[in-house]
Each structure stands twice: as C-alpha cells, then as structure tokens.
Amino acid sequence: MKTKVIALLLLVVVSSCVDEGDYGIPIPEDGQNFVIPENKLITFKALYGRYAQAVANDKLIAIINEDEDLYIEGYVVSSDQAGNFFEELIIQNKVDDSNPDEDPRLGIRLDINVGSLSDTYEFGRKVYVKLSGLTIGESNGVLTIAKGEDQSLEQIQEFEYRKIVIRTPEVATITPKVASLIELTDADENTLIQLGNMQIRNSELPLTYAGEGIDEFDGFRTLESCDTNLSILLQTSTFSDFKSLQVPQNKGSIKGVFTRDFGDDFNVLVINSVTDVQFTDENRCDPLQFSCGLANVVGAGNLFYENFQSQVNNRLVTGNGWTNYIEAGSEGWEAYVATGTNASLDRSARMQSASSGDVSNIAWLITPAINLDVQNGETLRFKTSSSFADSSDMQVLYSADWDGSEANVTNANWSILSDAYIIKDTDYFGSWFNSGNVDLSCLTGTIHIAFKYIGSGNPTFDGTYELDEVSIDYVP
C-alpha cells in the first residue's frame, strides 16, 4: 500500500465509530421491515478511521466483529449496466453541508461476486451496508469492503449479498463534485467527479474506447485538461458495450468515478456510460504538433549528445548548453543516480514535484541551439523512464524562434514532436523506453529542443520522469 494512501487514512482516524445522532432507522428489505439497532449507524469517516488504525498496527486489513452490528449509509455511483464495472459497487456518502468536517465526502468500493448488480442497486440507489463480519482493506489501490481474514480480502458471495447490502426505496439525484484535475486528492477516490474543459489527446483520436488490438482487459485513453495541461487516463473495460465506439473528437465535460487502475499504478476515471461524456465544443485546445516521421537510419555524425555522467547528483542540470528553466513552482531538472531496476543506465536527469508543496510545477530542460542547415539527415533520440508518473506529464517540443533567454521561453512558438515516444503511465515504471529515431530532416534553420514536465506538489499529480542518452545525429 502506498505511503500517500496511509497518510490520507491517518487523517481521518476518529475517537468514536458511532454517530450518536441516529436512532432506530427503519429499512425495508425483501418486503420486511426491520430497524438498525440504536447508535449503530457509523460514518464513512469512522470506517476510514478503523482501517487507518489497523494500518498503524501493521495490519493489512481491519475486521469488524460479528457482535458489533454496525452499518453505514451510502448512495450507489457506479453502474454495470453498460459493462464498464464488474462485480463491484461504488458507494459514497451524503455530506451534511452544514457540518462537512463531521463526515467529509468519501467513497468506498464493495467487492461482490455477482454480475448485473445494477438490476438491484441502480445508480443513485440509497443503501445500508451491514458491516458485521466484513473486512476493510485496500484492493486495486482503493479502500474496499469485502469478506476475508488472515490479512486478505475475499468477495462477498451471492448467497449473502442482499442481506449485507440493504436496498432502500430511495433513489437520489447524485451531483458530482465539479473539480479541476489539480484539485483532486486521494480523498476523492471512489466518488463521482466531473471534469470540465477536457479532451482526448490528439494522437489518440483515431482510436476506440477499448476496441483496439492493444487493449487487454481495459483500454486507456489520455484525457487532457485545457486549463492546466495535466492529464488523467480514461479506463474502459473491453467488456463494455461501447468499447468499439470511437472516442469523442471535441472537448467538453466528463463525469465518472475517480479511482486507480487494477495494479494501483496510476489514477483513472471510469465512466458509467458514454452519456457521461459531453464533448460538444469543437474548439479543441491542441498544442501545435509537428511530424517528419521516424527515420530508418541513424547517422554516424553527432551534433549533440548528453548522458548526464558529468553532472552532479541531486543538483540542477547545467552546462553542455542546457537551459534549466522553472516556469512554475520550485523544482527543476536535476542529475540523479537510480537504484534498483533503472541502475543499469547510471546517472540520468530527473524531474519530480513530490513534496514540493507547489500548486503547479512546470520545468523545461532545453538543448543548446542546433543548426539544421549545414548537414543532412538529422534525427533525435533519447530514453525515458519514470518512478510512477502519477498523472504528471512530460512533453518533447521544438522551437525555431526562441532567442535563448529564459524570459522568452513561454513567448516562443513551441511544437510537440509527436513522433517521439515518451514513457506512459501504462508502461512498466522500472524500464527505459526508446523515443524512436525521430526525423528532423524536414526542418530548416536553427532550433532548440525542450523536455517539458508538468505536475504539482499534489500527491495525485507528483510523479517522476527520468531522461537519458539525448542524441542529435546526422548523416555525413
């Protein structure tokens, strides 16, 4: 379990698990009425606190004893009707706006070995969950209620789930939290959110939601914010009934459940159906894109090379013509020696915004000027890795009109070199990935190439990118 999740949970530890303001709430179940025992309805905050206390005691799960007879109240915000959720219910609490600190907006996942749950528990349905004998733990990176013991989670089974997840007559109108990506935190996991001014990344517009040959179990498409330049992956099951539809071409708003991928490697948004995507604005915010394609030949001549071996560990990259410009925040590109899997490439350049406290962190590492008019067959190569990108972003761009001064970095015209491959959230973080042999030969004049990082000090968007073996070659 990740440290940042533990930190969140420790914040919600409370002194009592009982909400003393609720007494004798009648609930219909299968045509019969019964009453929650007095003082046994607890808050989501108290439930999170139970788990945090278990973690503090070096346990992976928290087990609620049979004789405690506790319940929580929540509203269903997931639906498996379109096949994009499977054997799970996501429920969130209803926050008292007059006293949000008492039970802040939180959600939880129920792991149930039953399909077509939306037939019984449709979107917005108010439910009570009988917690006695259940287990609280982390599964797929989010807090989950299930069965199990001995530090493991097991699904709630078909023969018992209706007595555990108690359906009430109420179906509420669920209003998603409207937020920007930069505002999302771990506390928003397992809840319904709405993001505005978003679009699918330009390079992925020809794709379907999850119907490509590369999509195994789930398809991942990049949602970009036109406001902050941050991104998040849209996750779609290959069993969904809309997997073969083309992703929307315009920009607009999208709502879905904010969660983690199956391996707990990165943040994702999961929609209930395509009606949750309202991309109606044709005025996309794409940065300029440029492509000469990929070259077949790596020339024997070299115009620029950097493997960062001469740099000083944990200090900003300098020398060899580099410009290390911090546009926003306090962090810049630094030299770094990796341990573990990445150690084979020795020293590299690294950019991360973790623990910076910065609301926004944008850092540029820019090459010296490269004159493309005195030789032929110029190409660019480099390698990238990450230590969990965590929805931060890295771009490689070029400019033909930057004057070399930091004051004018953002005033220059920069275009993304769209053919260059940069490690993705879905790639294994412990490996290095080649950019490909990016052809520059259709460009003329003098250019600069920039590696731009976009992130923040928010743990949801504070990932690390590593860069190495930058080479600009030519054919003599």
Side-chain angles (χ1 to χ4, degrees), residues 104-131:
R105 181 178 180 272
L106 294 168
I108 201 158
R109 174 178 177 264
L110 301 175
D111 193 1
I112 304 172
N113 187 22
V114 175
S116 301
L117 285 167
S118 61
D119 291 347
T120 305
Y121 309 105
E122 68 270 49
F123 184 87
R125 176 68 64 177
K126 179 180 177 180
V127 298
Y128 289 91
V129 181
K130 184 176 182 180
L131 299 171

Side-chain angles (χ1 to χ4, degrees), residues 273-321:
S273 73
V274 290
T275 60
D276 292 334
V277 185
Q278 296 295 314
F279 285 5
T280 58
D281 187 348
E282 297 180 358
N283 298 309
R284 290 175 55 89
C285 62
D286 296 313
L288 295 174
Q289 306 274 329
F290 178 81
S291 172
C292 290
L294 295 175
N296 294 322
V297 176
V298 177
N302 183 261
L303 295 175
F304 179 80
Y305 180 76
E306 177 68 82
N307 62 6
F308 304 101
Q309 294 306 305
S310 63
Q311 300 289 326
V312 179
N313 287 346
N314 303 315
R315 294 186 183 179
L316 293 180
V317 172
T318 59
N320 201 19

Side-chain angles (χ1 to χ4, degrees), residues 109-222:
R109 174 178 177 264
L110 301 175
D111 193 1
I112 304 172
N113 187 22
V114 175
S116 301
L117 285 167
S118 61
D119 291 347
T120 305
Y121 309 105
E122 68 270 49
F123 184 87
R125 176 68 64 177
K126 179 180 177 180
V127 298
Y128 289 91
V129 181
K130 184 176 182 180
L131 299 171
S132 307
L134 297 184
T135 300
I136 314 165
E138 192 182 67
S139 178
N140 299 35
V142 295
L143 206 62
T144 299
I145 294 176
K147 303 282 285 188
E149 53 189 25
D150 297 328
Q151 306 302 299
S152 63
L153 294 177
E154 300 173 2
Q155 288 184 303
I156 297 168
Q157 295 302 311
E158 184 172 8
F159 73 88
E160 61 186 344
Y161 79 100
R162 285 179 179 267
K163 294 182 179 179
I164 292 172
V165 187
I166 303 163
R167 182 177 185 267
T168 78
E170 181 182 347
V171 179
T173 299
I174 306 297
T175 302
K177 175 182 177 179
V178 179
S180 68
L181 282 177
I182 199 69
E183 295 170 331
L184 297 177
T185 70
D186 297 337
D188 293 300
E189 290 176 356
N190 286 326
T191 68
L192 190 72
I193 65 166
Q194 180 172 312
L195 303 171
N197 211 15
M198 302 292 293
Q199 64 183 25
I200 299 291
R201 180 166 290 173
N202 183 275
S203 60
E204 300 174 8
L205 290 182
L207 303 179
T208 58
Y209 279 91
E212 310 301 321
I214 60 173
D215 298 325
E216 184 178 2
F217 302 113
D218 294 288
F220 295 95
R221 306 294 179 256
T222 307

Side-chain angles (χ1 to χ4, degrees), residues 7-28:
L8 163 70
L9 295 169
L10 290 175
L11 288 174
V12 298
V13 176
V14 293
S15 58
S16 171
C17 289
V18 177
D19 183 343
E20 297 181 355
D22 293 281
Y23 299 92
I25 300 174
I27 309 166

Side-chain angles (χ1 to χ4, degrees), residues 336-358:
Y336 170 71
V337 174
T339 58
T341 307
N342 287 1
S344 60
L345 285 180
D346 207 1
R347 186 174 288 114
S348 61
R350 176 180 70 170
M351 178 58 210
Q352 64 174 2
S353 54
S355 303
S356 67
D358 297 326

